[in-house]
Amino acid sequence: MIIANNKKAFFDYFIEDKFEAGIELKGSEVKSVKAGKVSIKESFIRIINDEVFIMGMSIVPWQYGSVYNPEERRVRKLLLNRKEIRKLHEKVKVKGYTIVPLDVHLSKGYVKVQIAVAKGKKNYDKRESIAKKDQERNIRRDFKNSTR
């Protein structure tokens, strides 16, 4: 079940490799995420000292929580295997590649983040993808009208 989606990532980047990572959350944050009060639109991912962190991810504090609710935009650690972290680190060393969050979802009751190694698109690539979407939309509309 997808809770939050980063649609802008598919428009701004060519997605190459995808990984699923757990998030280190506090108790009230889990309740807030399951209630759908999470946003990853402005978030990004960094590798620091062989650990992966997501920064800028917004989880609204749980309204029924105590005064000890964690900050809304704190840095959260992502849980990956050493082999996966090494693979991410090697790919990000290449110029033009970055790690972006794609979505936040539930998997067997656990909150997970799908991240991807991606290469940034140039402006002409973005124009091509817009034109392609428009063309597909027109084809679907014409097909729909022809079947009536």
Side-chain angles (χ1 to χ4, degrees):
M1 181 173 117
I2 294 178
I3 298 169
N5 201 353
N6 189 359
K7 294 179 185 176
K8 191 87 169 150
F10 292 98
F11 181 71
D12 288 339
Y13 300 98
F14 292 113
I15 306 300
E16 294 198 1
D17 263 350
K18 294 181 182 179
F19 297 91
E20 187 178 64
I23 314 174
E24 194 175 87
L25 297 174
K26 309 275 174 148
S28 62
E29 287 180 322
V30 175
K31 290 183 177 187
S32 192
V33 167
K34 287 184 177 181
K37 299 185 186 244
V38 62
S39 173
I40 57 170
K41 288 182 182 175
E42 303 91 30
S43 61
F44 56 97
I45 295 172
R46 294 275 185 255
I47 299 175
I48 304 168
N49 296 333
D50 291 331
E51 293 181 331
V52 183
F53 296 94
I54 186 164
M55 300 173 182
M57 179 177 172
S58 172
I59 298 177
V60 178
W62 183 241
Q63 63 186 14
Y64 303 111
S66 65
V67 293
Y68 302 110
N69 274 343
E71 291 180 31
E72 184 174 348
R73 293 188 177 270
R74 72 179 183 89
V75 176
R76 294 170 179 90
K77 185 177 177 180
L78 295 182
L79 308 172
L80 289 162
N81 294 332
R82 290 265 179 235
K83 195 184 294 184
E84 291 173 329
I85 294 172
R86 211 172 299 121
K87 190 184 250 186
L88 282 171
H89 194 63
E90 288 174 9
K91 290 189 177 190
V92 173
K93 282 182 183 177
V94 179
K95 187 177 179 183
Y97 284 90
T98 187
I99 307 169
V100 293
L102 299 178
D103 66 34
V104 176
H105 61 277
L106 289 176
S107 175
K108 298 179 184 173
Y110 294 103
V111 179
K112 304 279 186 171
V113 177
Q114 186 172 33
I115 60 175
V117 175
K119 185 170 183 162
K121 285 185 181 179
K122 304 286 184 202
N123 282 336
Y124 57 85
D125 292 327
K126 292 178 186 178
R127 284 193 292 268
E128 280 180 21
S129 62
I130 291 171
K132 189 176 178 182
K133 284 182 184 177
D134 286 341
Q135 192 176 31
E136 288 173 3
R137 192 178 309 118
N138 289 336
I139 290 171
R140 271 190 261 119
R141 187 181 325 123
D142 291 342
F143 182 72
K144 186 177 179 182
N145 289 337
S146 68
T147 57
R148 288 185 182 176

